[in-house]
Amino acid sequence: MINVFQPSLGAEELEAVQEVFESNWLGHGPRTRDFEARFAEHLGVEPEHTIFINAATAGLFLATELLGLGPADDVVLPSVSFVAAGNAVAATGARPVFCDVDPRTLNPTVEHVERALTPRTKAVLLLHYGGLPGEVAAIADLCRARGVRLVEDAACAVASAVDGKACGTFGDVGVWSFDSMKVLVTGDGGMLYVRDAELARRARRLAYHGIEQVSGFAAAKVTDRWWELNVKDFGRRVIGNDLTAAIGAVQLRRLPSFVERRREISRRYDELLADIEGVRLPPALPAGHVGTHYFYWVQMDPAIRDRVAADLRDRGVYTTFRYPPLHKVPAYGGDAGELPGTEAASESTLLLPLHQGLPDADVQTVADELRKAIEQRVGEARG
């Protein structure tokens, strides 16, 4: 089966893990801090604003806590988002208010976000779909003008930017994912960015039980009773560790080559699929926008989309759709009204295999099998 997602791991990562084993310290320590600093440099921010955590989902939950969301608040987010975003909002008692997306980019426009704002809106939680920046700069300006906090779910946008500014750093809080299906992987894990320095310090405490001092070795330099606790907040344990951070540091060094290969595959798909009747390809990036090329999607007549996906699976090509619209999830309650862009995209879009380990021969196979499946189903539809 040709997979949609697949990590690239090898001898360098194994060597880094071996070094951690030999150090006899696997937990939160110097390699964690080094990875945070390296990722901060990658983003163009100061390292005290980045926190390595055990999952991007934990980062989204931390973000809602940092911003003090509660039952009196509304949070605007695109319906085409991962379920973790909806859960993080709903768990606070705040009301998720789902906005529409552009049916071609699957990202919301600034107009979509503005129409969804209410007098109770306290935050906007923006997803960068497939690593596309979207209108993040304009949405950030809107949020600042309205006094609304902006959280960026940059899980898929580890190398995305607009005019040199990294996605995830336009708003108040940004979150990246390093799980096993992402471009940069640590097995599980994520990074949290917090713009405000004091909130960043609080986030670091909340990520480790609310304790001000997390290292007994460091505390021993300033107190005779380094084992005593200084609990500033009621937190939990969601910090990363040196084992996964060591893998992440290697992956971060390799990230430019990963993204370049994904860019090449996307260009090849563009060439191979351009002349298939009835198939729409992803839109070109605007000037100044850099994408991570996390997803490559095609869109087709909804009447054949599911059957084409089944045909491809039977022929050894796995495809999928991310993400099913959240406004249709009963757990979040309420009626989002008409979201025509979301409806159109969710019924017509199919994600093709795209990862840096995908060989040229498999790219050709995916294109060939997609062409056959569509031609067959279109022919059947025409009778």
Short mmCIF file of all heavy atoms in Angstrom, two decimals, residues 58-70 88-89 91-92 122 149 151 173 199 202-203 205-207 209-210 233-236 238:
data_model
loop_
_atom_site.label_atom_id
_atom_site.label_comp_id
_atom_site.label_asym_id
_atom_site.label_seq_id
_atom_site.Cartn_x
_atom_site.Cartn_y
_atom_site.Cartn_z
N ALA A 58 -2.03 18.78 23.65
CA ALA A 58 -1.77 19.36 24.97
C ALA A 58 -1.53 20.85 24.86
O ALA A 58 -1.94 21.64 25.73
CB ALA A 58 -0.55 18.67 25.62
N GLY A 59 -0.88 21.28 23.76
CA GLY A 59 -0.64 22.70 23.55
C GLY A 59 -1.92 23.47 23.33
O GLY A 59 -2.06 24.60 23.82
N LEU A 60 -2.87 22.89 22.60
CA LEU A 60 -4.15 23.56 22.39
C LEU A 60 -4.92 23.70 23.70
O LEU A 60 -5.52 24.75 23.98
CB LEU A 60 -4.99 22.79 21.35
CG LEU A 60 -4.46 22.83 19.92
CD1 LEU A 60 -5.27 21.88 19.04
CD2 LEU A 60 -4.51 24.24 19.35
N PHE A 61 -4.89 22.66 24.52
CA PHE A 61 -5.55 22.74 25.82
C PHE A 61 -4.86 23.77 26.72
O PHE A 61 -5.52 24.53 27.44
CB PHE A 61 -5.59 21.37 26.48
CG PHE A 61 -6.75 20.51 26.07
CD1 PHE A 61 -6.75 19.86 24.84
CD2 PHE A 61 -7.85 20.36 26.89
CE1 PHE A 61 -7.81 19.07 24.44
CE2 PHE A 61 -8.93 19.57 26.50
CZ PHE A 61 -8.91 18.92 25.27
N LEU A 62 -3.53 23.80 26.67
CA LEU A 62 -2.79 24.81 27.43
C LEU A 62 -3.15 26.21 26.96
O LEU A 62 -3.29 27.14 27.77
CB LEU A 62 -1.29 24.59 27.28
CG LEU A 62 -0.55 23.85 28.39
CD1 LEU A 62 0.92 23.72 28.04
CD2 LEU A 62 -0.71 24.56 29.73
N ALA A 63 -3.29 26.39 25.65
CA ALA A 63 -3.62 27.71 25.11
C ALA A 63 -4.95 28.21 25.64
O ALA A 63 -5.08 29.38 26.03
CB ALA A 63 -3.65 27.64 23.58
N THR A 64 -5.96 27.34 25.68
CA THR A 64 -7.27 27.77 26.19
C THR A 64 -7.19 28.14 27.67
O THR A 64 -7.89 29.05 28.13
CB THR A 64 -8.33 26.67 26.00
OG1 THR A 64 -7.98 25.50 26.75
CG2 THR A 64 -8.47 26.30 24.53
N GLU A 65 -6.31 27.44 28.41
CA GLU A 65 -6.14 27.77 29.83
C GLU A 65 -5.41 29.09 30.00
O GLU A 65 -5.77 29.93 30.84
CB GLU A 65 -5.39 26.64 30.53
CG GLU A 65 -5.33 26.79 32.04
CD GLU A 65 -4.82 25.54 32.73
OE1 GLU A 65 -4.60 24.53 32.03
OE2 GLU A 65 -4.67 25.58 33.96
N LEU A 66 -4.36 29.30 29.21
CA LEU A 66 -3.59 30.54 29.29
C LEU A 66 -4.46 31.76 28.99
O LEU A 66 -4.27 32.83 29.58
CB LEU A 66 -2.42 30.50 28.31
CG LEU A 66 -1.28 29.54 28.63
CD1 LEU A 66 -0.33 29.45 27.44
CD2 LEU A 66 -0.53 29.97 29.88
N LEU A 67 -5.39 31.60 28.05
CA LEU A 67 -6.24 32.72 27.65
C LEU A 67 -7.47 32.85 28.53
O LEU A 67 -8.29 33.76 28.33
CB LEU A 67 -6.65 32.58 26.18
CG LEU A 67 -5.49 32.52 25.17
CD1 LEU A 67 -6.02 32.47 23.75
CD2 LEU A 67 -4.55 33.71 25.36
N GLY A 68 -7.64 31.95 29.48
CA GLY A 68 -8.74 32.06 30.44
C GLY A 68 -10.11 31.86 29.83
O GLY A 68 -11.08 32.50 30.25
N LEU A 69 -10.22 30.98 28.86
CA LEU A 69 -11.51 30.76 28.22
C LEU A 69 -12.47 30.05 29.16
O LEU A 69 -12.06 29.20 29.97
CB LEU A 69 -11.34 29.93 26.94
CG LEU A 69 -10.46 30.54 25.85
CD1 LEU A 69 -10.37 29.62 24.66
CD2 LEU A 69 -10.98 31.91 25.45
N GLY A 70 -13.76 30.40 29.06
CA GLY A 70 -14.75 29.79 29.94
C GLY A 70 -16.15 29.91 29.37
O GLY A 70 -16.33 30.34 28.22
N ALA A 88 -10.54 21.16 22.70
CA ALA A 88 -9.86 22.10 23.59
C ALA A 88 -10.76 23.27 23.95
O ALA A 88 -10.75 23.74 25.09
CB ALA A 88 -8.57 22.60 22.94
N VAL A 89 -11.54 23.74 22.99
CA VAL A 89 -12.46 24.86 23.24
C VAL A 89 -13.63 24.39 24.10
O VAL A 89 -13.94 24.99 25.14
CB VAL A 89 -12.96 25.46 21.91
CG1 VAL A 89 -14.07 26.47 22.17
CG2 VAL A 89 -11.82 26.10 21.14
N ALA A 91 -14.02 21.90 26.07
CA ALA A 91 -13.69 21.44 27.42
C ALA A 91 -13.66 22.58 28.43
O ALA A 91 -13.83 22.34 29.64
CB ALA A 91 -12.34 20.71 27.42
N THR A 92 -13.46 23.81 27.98
CA THR A 92 -13.45 24.95 28.89
C THR A 92 -14.85 25.44 29.22
O THR A 92 -15.02 26.28 30.11
CB THR A 92 -12.69 26.13 28.27
OG1 THR A 92 -13.43 26.66 27.16
CG2 THR A 92 -11.30 25.72 27.82
N LYS A 122 -13.90 35.75 22.36
CA LYS A 122 -12.68 36.04 23.10
C LYS A 122 -11.43 35.60 22.34
O LYS A 122 -10.33 36.13 22.58
CB LYS A 122 -12.71 35.35 24.47
CG LYS A 122 -11.59 35.80 25.41
CD LYS A 122 -11.83 35.32 26.83
CE LYS A 122 -10.78 35.83 27.79
NZ LYS A 122 -11.06 35.41 29.19
N ARG A 149 -8.01 37.44 21.01
CA ARG A 149 -6.77 36.66 20.99
C ARG A 149 -6.77 35.71 19.79
O ARG A 149 -7.82 35.17 19.41
CB ARG A 149 -6.61 35.86 22.28
CG ARG A 149 -6.53 36.71 23.54
CD ARG A 149 -5.30 37.62 23.55
NE ARG A 149 -5.09 38.22 24.85
CZ ARG A 149 -4.21 37.78 25.74
NH1 ARG A 149 -3.46 36.72 25.46
NH2 ARG A 149 -4.08 38.38 26.90
N VAL A 151 -5.05 32.17 18.35
CA VAL A 151 -4.29 30.94 18.52
C VAL A 151 -4.12 30.30 17.15
O VAL A 151 -5.10 30.12 16.42
CB VAL A 151 -5.00 29.95 19.47
CG1 VAL A 151 -4.21 28.66 19.59
CG2 VAL A 151 -5.23 30.60 20.83
N VAL A 173 -0.62 32.72 20.55
CA VAL A 173 -0.13 31.37 20.85
C VAL A 173 -0.08 30.57 19.56
O VAL A 173 -0.98 30.69 18.71
CB VAL A 173 -1.07 30.65 21.86
CG1 VAL A 173 -0.52 29.27 22.21
CG2 VAL A 173 -1.24 31.47 23.13
N LEU A 199 3.11 35.18 30.09
CA LEU A 199 2.28 34.01 29.79
C LEU A 199 3.14 32.81 29.41
O LEU A 199 2.80 31.67 29.73
CB LEU A 199 1.31 34.33 28.65
CG LEU A 199 -0.04 34.96 29.00
CD1 LEU A 199 -0.90 35.08 27.76
CD2 LEU A 199 -0.76 34.15 30.09
N ARG A 202 4.27 31.26 32.54
CA ARG A 202 3.17 30.52 33.16
C ARG A 202 2.90 29.22 32.41
O ARG A 202 2.63 28.18 33.02
CB ARG A 202 1.91 31.37 33.19
CG ARG A 202 0.75 30.67 33.87
CD ARG A 202 -0.37 31.61 34.29
NE ARG A 202 -1.36 30.88 35.06
CZ ARG A 202 -2.54 30.49 34.58
NH1 ARG A 202 -2.90 30.80 33.33
NH2 ARG A 202 -3.38 29.81 35.33
N ALA A 203 3.00 29.26 31.08
CA ALA A 203 2.80 28.05 30.29
C ALA A 203 3.83 26.99 30.67
O ALA A 203 3.50 25.80 30.78
CB ALA A 203 2.91 28.38 28.80
N ARG A 205 5.26 26.63 33.56
CA ARG A 205 4.86 26.07 34.86
C ARG A 205 3.69 25.10 34.71
O ARG A 205 3.70 24.01 35.28
CB ARG A 205 4.47 27.20 35.82
CG ARG A 205 5.61 28.09 36.28
CD ARG A 205 5.21 28.91 37.50
NE ARG A 205 4.05 29.75 37.26
CZ ARG A 205 4.11 31.02 36.84
NH1 ARG A 205 5.29 31.58 36.59
NH2 ARG A 205 3.01 31.73 36.67
N LEU A 206 2.67 25.51 33.95
CA LEU A 206 1.50 24.67 33.79
C LEU A 206 1.84 23.34 33.12
O LEU A 206 1.18 22.33 33.36
CB LEU A 206 0.43 25.40 32.96
CG LEU A 206 -0.30 26.54 33.65
CD1 LEU A 206 -1.15 27.31 32.65
CD2 LEU A 206 -1.17 26.01 34.79
N ALA A 207 2.87 23.35 32.28
CA ALA A 207 3.27 22.13 31.59
C ALA A 207 3.96 21.14 32.52
O ALA A 207 4.14 19.97 32.16
CB ALA A 207 4.20 22.47 30.42
N HIS A 209 3.13 20.56 36.25
CA HIS A 209 2.48 20.51 37.57
C HIS A 209 2.33 21.88 38.24
O HIS A 209 2.00 21.93 39.43
CB HIS A 209 3.24 19.58 38.52
CG HIS A 209 3.46 18.20 37.98
ND1 HIS A 209 2.42 17.34 37.72
CD2 HIS A 209 4.60 17.55 37.63
CE1 HIS A 209 2.91 16.20 37.24
NE2 HIS A 209 4.22 16.30 37.16
N GLY A 210 2.59 22.96 37.54
CA GLY A 210 2.51 24.28 38.15
C GLY A 210 3.71 24.63 39.00
O GLY A 210 3.69 25.63 39.73
N ASP A 233 0.92 27.35 40.12
CA ASP A 233 -0.34 27.10 39.41
C ASP A 233 -0.73 25.64 39.61
O ASP A 233 0.10 24.82 40.00
CB ASP A 233 -0.19 27.38 37.91
CG ASP A 233 0.05 28.83 37.58
OD1 ASP A 233 -0.91 29.60 37.60
OD2 ASP A 233 1.22 29.19 37.29
N PHE A 234 -1.98 25.35 39.31
CA PHE A 234 -2.42 23.96 39.35
C PHE A 234 -2.28 23.39 37.94
O PHE A 234 -3.20 23.49 37.11
CB PHE A 234 -3.86 23.86 39.86
CG PHE A 234 -4.03 24.44 41.23
CD1 PHE A 234 -5.01 25.39 41.48
CD2 PHE A 234 -3.20 24.05 42.26
CE1 PHE A 234 -5.17 25.93 42.75
CE2 PHE A 234 -3.34 24.59 43.54
CZ PHE A 234 -4.33 25.54 43.77
N GLY A 235 -1.12 22.81 37.66
CA GLY A 235 -0.84 22.32 36.32
C GLY A 235 -0.87 20.81 36.23
O GLY A 235 -1.33 20.11 37.13
N ARG A 236 -0.39 20.33 35.10
CA ARG A 236 -0.31 18.88 34.86
C ARG A 236 1.04 18.61 34.21
O ARG A 236 1.83 19.53 34.06
CB ARG A 236 -1.44 18.45 33.94
CG ARG A 236 -1.41 19.09 32.57
CD ARG A 236 -2.75 19.04 31.91
NE ARG A 236 -3.63 20.02 32.51
CZ ARG A 236 -4.06 21.10 31.88
NH1 ARG A 236 -3.70 21.34 30.65
NH2 ARG A 236 -4.84 21.97 32.48
N VAL A 238 2.83 17.79 30.89
CA VAL A 238 2.75 17.64 29.44
C VAL A 238 4.08 18.01 28.78
O VAL A 238 4.12 18.28 27.58
CB VAL A 238 1.59 18.46 28.85
CG1 VAL A 238 0.25 17.97 29.37
CG2 VAL A 238 1.76 19.95 29.12
#
